[in-house]
Amino acid sequence: MCACRSRSFVAQLLLALLLLAPAPVALAGIDAKHPQLHQAFPDATRFGDIEGTPPAAAVYRGDKVIGYAFETVMVAPVPAYSGAPINILVSIGTDGSIRDARVLEQHEPILLVGIPVQKLYDFVARYIGHRVDDRIVVGGGSSGSVRIDAISSATVTSMVANETIMNSALKVAASRKLIAGAADTGAAAAQVRSGYFVPADWQALTGNGAIGHLQLARQAVVDAFKGQPESGLVDDPTAPAAGHGTDTFIDLYFADVTPPTVGRNLLGTAAHAELMKQLKPGDTAIAVMANGIYSFKGLGYVRGGIFDRVHLLQDGKLVLFKDTDLVSMNDTPLRGKPAFAEQAIFIVRNSGSGFDATRPWTLQLMVNRQVGPLQSIYHTFTRDYRMPAAYTTRPDAAAKAQADALPADAPLWQKVWYGRRIDIALLLAGLTVLTLILMFQDWIVTRPHLLERLRVGFLIYTLVFIGWYGLAQLSVVNILTFIQSVLHGFRWSTFLMDPLVFILWVFVAATLLLLGRGIYCGWLCPFGALQVLVNKLARRLHVPQFEVPQYVHERLWAIKYIILLVLFGMSLQSLNMAERYAEVEPFKTAINLHFARSWSYVLYAVALVAVSAFNNKFYCRYVCPLGAGLAVSGRFHLFEWLRRRKECGRPCQICANECEVKAINAIGQINFNECHYCLDCQVTYANDKKCPPLVERRKKRERAARPLPTPVLTIIPAATPATPEPAKAAD
């Protein structure tokens, strides 16, 4: 009996354990994905799931919440230099302190060119112990601010990481009522009086605070760097200079030109009206004007990057300016306005920034001192600004409630698309032109001079607009990222963040299905366009051309497929590793960074461009993993619009000899895996003075049309019969 009861008890115990076994899995929260959170909260008994707005996971000790953990990409994604946000795991306590901060994912190119990624990890770790409402300034400088030194030679990445951590921490803390007064700034926010205008001159606008002023002498900058390493450069403006301490380092004026009284007086009525057309509701335009030896734009700025010297700060939130936020500012006839060597307008995008122009904000000017080839130190100078009360009005509570009842903001990718709508229109126009060229290619190839002008013009458009301006150079990394996304959770929003790249990929996918890889490689690749243009120039200068033997040429094709296979294998283990080795593509150096990179990368890219002067598209033919990926994807295309004749290759070799990438074999067949769709062979196909079958037909037509020769009658007179001689008389 006892044995039966014992067995029954054991069975019940096992059943209870089986029922309880799923409990840890069901109760597992964010710590299941990020076990390192136990180090930030060693006394936590359990972790909740990510939930709420903004999304964050509560951390419990018993039934009491002791903190929150979240990924910044879910709360405040800030595009970094690479275009993708840095994702940081942040832990905050209920006292408003930052318990932990760790980088989860980043794609910064600057961390692939000699700066160890550990420096980013160390930089992020400096935020541990600070409060979410601390006024942290990269480089420091103003009273009341907390100084954190930037990563040397990576100031943009440093500022983005600062904005990412502090903005997301503020949002989570305010939404969970961890800090007082951070959730809202007032029941009824003020608005700019768009219809208020009073004529004013420079003295009046600077006198009432509508135009702010930051003036620094060289000695003030020297004092700010006192005790720091010296640069050693003879032209370092931050170094002590005997007799030049009172010289102007920078004399900077700044103003919110959104109010008509400031904007119309400072810019002129027409220019202010044109500027207002570029702003969306809630946007703010800040004019910055300066003289001196220090540029507020920055000498190292390149398109596609972020201005690292001038930015705004409001309520602890940093506002950075990108190239798309810059508007040129012309000289204006405002009475009393000094002449400035440098002036520009920056647009503060309201979407996502939360910037309120009617409330106080601070302009920050970061000054850098280079103390080594890859090392710099920084100091930030600040000036506070508040829009004069006469330029603002406060709506009633009813209007505020009505505004709050509007739908939530559109997704971030939609805001990005709207902000680049002009670029999108130009890209769609270019793709339309290319589509028309393809549709009417049979007519165009009969006019070789027209085709040559169209092709050269389009290649220039591809290089300048799609490449250097739009930064829409496709890469094998895009293919690997897409594959990883399909394998590990596909989200359209990931690919919609860059509209030009997304539109290009849609067009390329369609042409791969219809015609193969040649459309992109021959017409839409910026680096390919650069090589073709260089080769055309070289031929005009009679630079000799070199081609490898055909049997070697066909074997060299395999190199790019091997490179693609290696990168694909790496991506299965680590996408970051694959991105690093994808530097075999010179696209980032030659196109995205405009050759503004360390010498080894520049030397590699320049060497490939130089080789193309002697061997057209050498890189595309033998090395490009992107071309290999497109060739594999487009192998089974539906149509072949490139015409051939039975005589091609048997015996005619004209097209094979003229093909710019040698994609036509000895028997006249086009290898569509290697064809770049330049249409040169189609020009020959339609040329009755060059294509042998057409030449023969033309000659037959000419002979048939030639008039028969008129017969010439020659009249020969009949010969006169000879008169017989008379007979002689006989003797």
Side-chain angles (χ1 to χ4, degrees):
M1 188 69 175
C2 293
C4 291
R5 289 181 177 177
S6 178
R7 286 194 296 268
S8 176
F9 174 75
V10 172
Q12 291 177 5
L13 180 61
L14 289 175
L15 179 61
L17 290 175
L18 288 173
L19 292 174
L20 291 175
V25 178
L27 294 175
I30 190 175
D31 62 321
K33 181 179 179 182
H34 303 296
Q36 61 267 40
L37 288 172
H38 290 279
Q39 300 176 18
F41 298 98
D43 53 345
T45 57
R46 66 184 179 94
F47 292 79
D49 293 320
I50 295 177
E51 58 186 4
T53 304
V59 183
Y60 297 89
R61 183 174 59 227
D63 294 330
K64 181 182 178 182
V65 176
I66 60 173
Y68 294 89
F70 52 90
E71 295 184 25
T72 58
V73 74
M74 299 181 182
V75 180
V78 181
Y81 192 89
S82 65
I86 300 173
N87 191 17
I88 302 172
L89 178 65
V90 179
S91 305
I92 61 175
T94 52
D95 59 350
S97 65
I98 298 176
R99 293 282 195 95
D100 194 24
R102 303 186 184 213
V103 177
L104 296 179
E105 185 177 8
Q106 60 82 26
H107 302 279
E108 293 300 90
I110 193 66
L111 301 176
L112 299 175
V113 293
I115 298 179
V117 71
Q118 185 62 42
K119 290 197 173 184
L120 176 61
Y121 300 157
D122 296 341
F123 175 81
V124 169
R126 296 174 196 166
Y127 288 79
I128 299 174
H130 291 288
R131 288 184 52 81
V132 298
D133 52 359
D134 280 347
R135 189 179 178 186
I136 295 180
V137 178
V138 175
S142 61
S143 60
S145 66
V146 178
R147 176 192 178 98
I148 288 185
D149 291 329
I151 304 171
S152 185
S153 300
T155 54
V156 171
T157 300
S158 304
M159 289 188 295
V160 169
N162 176 56
E163 182 181 4
T164 298
I165 295 172
M166 299 310 297
N167 286 6
S168 58
L170 271 174
K171 287 184 178 181
V172 172
S175 65
R176 271 66 174 182
K177 304 292 191 270
L178 302 184
I179 52 178
D184 197 0
T185 57
Q191 295 179 351
V192 176
R193 297 174 64 181
S194 59
Y196 180 75
F197 172 74
V198 175
D201 58 12
W202 180 263
Q203 183 177 0
L205 293 177
T206 53
N208 69 356
I211 298 178
H213 187 205
L214 171 62
Q215 186 175 28
L216 297 174
R218 290 195 66 171
Q219 189 59 46
V221 177
V222 171
D223 293 341
F225 283 99
K226 189 174 182 180
Q228 301 290 334
E230 296 291 340
S231 168
L233 301 176
V234 295
D235 57 348
D236 177 21
T238 69
H244 295 277
T246 59
D247 290 356
T248 299
F249 182 80
I250 190 169
D251 187 18
L252 184 146
Y253 291 85
F254 59 100
D256 185 337
V257 294
T258 312
T261 297
V262 183
R264 287 173 58 182
N265 283 307
L266 183 60
L267 307 178
T269 302
H272 182 257
E274 185 63 28
L275 176 63
M276 291 300 101
K277 293 179 182 178
Q278 302 181 40
L279 303 186
K280 294 186 291 184
D283 286 356
T284 302
I286 307 295
V288 183
M289 305 151 282
N291 287 317
I293 60 176
Y294 192 73
S295 166
F296 63 80
K297 289 182 182 178
L299 302 178
Y301 167 74
V302 293
R303 184 173 296 278
I306 298 176
F307 290 91
D308 61 350
R309 293 188 177 182
V310 62
H311 25 84
L312 310 183
L313 185 71
Q314 186 179 65
D315 297 332
K317 296 181 180 180
L318 189 66
V319 178
L320 304 177
F321 298 115
K322 299 189 70 174
D323 66 317
T324 53
D325 303 325
L326 179 67
V327 178
S328 61
M329 178 178 174
N330 299 321
D331 290 331
T332 57
L334 177 64
R335 184 163 58 89
K337 175 177 176 284
F340 291 104
E342 186 179 32
Q343 52 189 9
I345 297 173
F346 297 99
I347 297 178
V348 182
R349 310 291 179 184
N350 181 58
S351 57
S353 69
F355 184 81
D356 184 355
T358 63
R359 300 180 56 251
W361 51 269
T362 301
L363 179 135
Q364 296 184 335
L365 178 71
M366 179 180 287
V367 178
N368 70 295
R369 170 186 284 179
Q370 186 173 351
V371 295
L374 289 175
Q375 186 177 4
S376 298
I377 55 177
Y378 308 90
H379 189 85
T380 301
F381 297 89
T382 64
R383 280 294 180 274
D384 294 332
Y385 182 88
R386 180 158 195 164
M387 185 181 296
Y391 302 161
T392 66
T393 182
R394 189 173 297 277
D396 56 29
K400 178 65 166 53
Q402 183 179 3
D404 290 342
L406 294 175
D409 291 340
L412 182 59
W413 71 266
Q414 293 184 12
K415 300 169 186 174
V416 174
W417 281 60
Y418 184 81
R420 302 195 68 181
R421 58 193 182 277
I422 296 178
D423 295 343
I424 292 172
L426 291 175
L427 177 60
L428 292 176
L431 296 180
T432 301
V433 170
L434 179 56
T435 302
L436 293 174
I437 292 174
L438 299 176
M439 294 294 294
F440 297 99
Q441 67 180 47
D442 291 340
W443 178 82
I444 294 176
V445 296
T446 62
R447 295 157 176 81
H449 294 294
L450 172 63
L451 175 62
E452 179 66 11
R453 293 189 182 96
L454 285 174
R455 179 157 170 75
V456 171
F458 199 92
L459 291 176
I460 293 174
Y461 161 84
T462 295
L463 175 62
V464 176
F465 174 72
I466 296 179
W468 287 335
Y469 173 81
L471 304 178
Q473 168 75 63
L474 303 187
S475 165
V476 70
V477 175
N478 301 137
I479 298 177
L480 301 178
T481 302
F482 178 80
I483 295 173
Q484 289 293 316
S485 178
V486 171
L487 295 176
H488 301 103
F490 181 84
R491 291 189 303 170
W492 278 111
S493 58
T494 303
F495 300 95
L496 289 167
M497 290 303 296
D498 192 327
L500 299 191
V501 170
F502 180 83
I503 293 171
L504 264 180
W505 269 117
V506 171
F507 187 85
V508 170
T511 55
L512 280 175
L513 176 64
L514 299 176
L515 299 171
R517 69 170 279 201
I519 306 303
Y520 176 77
C521 295
W523 294 83
L524 292 171
C525 176
F527 189 74
L530 175 60
Q531 292 178 90
V532 174
L533 293 173
V534 167
N535 185 263
K536 286 182 178 292
L537 178 62
R539 289 175 183 268
R540 281 183 174 270
L541 299 176
H542 305 290
V543 174
Q545 302 295 301
F546 299 98
E547 292 289 346
V548 298
Q550 184 67 22
Y551 64 91
V552 177
H553 164 71
E554 293 181 355
R555 285 158 179 76
L556 291 177
W557 281 341
I559 295 176
K560 59 179 176 286
Y561 295 98
I562 295 173
I563 294 174
L564 173 66
L565 185 61
V566 171
L567 292 176
F568 175 70
M570 289 181 176
S571 71
L572 297 178
Q573 174 68 26
S574 168
L575 185 59
N576 286 339
M577 181 193 301
E579 289 179 358
R580 180 182 297 271
Y581 285 96
E583 290 288 351
V584 69
E585 295 178 326
F587 306 156
K588 185 183 295 183
T589 302
I591 304 300
N592 293 354
L593 298 179
H594 308 89
F595 295 98
R597 214 173 178 189
S598 61
W599 69 267
S600 57
Y601 290 92
V602 173
L603 179 62
Y604 173 65
V606 170
L608 290 175
V609 174
V611 169
S612 67
F614 305 94
N615 184 286
N616 192 18
K617 285 194 161 184
F618 175 87
Y619 171 81
C620 301
R621 290 198 243 181
Y622 308 128
V623 184
C624 181
L626 173 62
L630 296 179
V632 173
S633 304
R635 181 172 178 80
F636 301 103
H637 54 274
L638 300 178
F639 304 105
E640 294 183 359
W641 290 355
L642 300 182
R643 301 176 183 274
R644 308 301 291 153
R645 303 183 192 280
K646 63 180 181 179
E647 295 87 355
C648 293
R650 302 180 182 89
C652 180
Q653 297 292 323
I654 294 177
C655 292
N657 292 331
E658 292 183 344
C659 179
E660 67 176 29
V661 292
K662 302 303 178 187
I664 303 176
N665 62 24
I667 59 175
Q669 296 172 334
I670 297 176
N671 185 341
F672 285 94
N673 293 330
E674 304 299 330
C675 173
H676 288 191
Y677 222 92
C678 65
L679 297 178
D680 285 350
C681 62
Q682 299 303 286
V683 172
T684 300
Y685 179 93
N687 191 337
D688 63 1
K689 293 183 174 58
K690 196 171 186 180
C691 181
L694 292 189
V695 171
E696 184 178 348
R697 294 176 195 175
R698 177 180 57 80
K699 289 181 177 180
K700 286 182 179 179
R701 289 196 304 270
E702 291 175 351
R703 286 196 297 267
R706 187 182 303 158
L708 294 175
T710 304
V712 179
L713 299 178
T714 303
I715 301 175
I716 301 176
T720 304
T723 304
E725 294 183 1
K728 292 183 178 180
D731 291 334

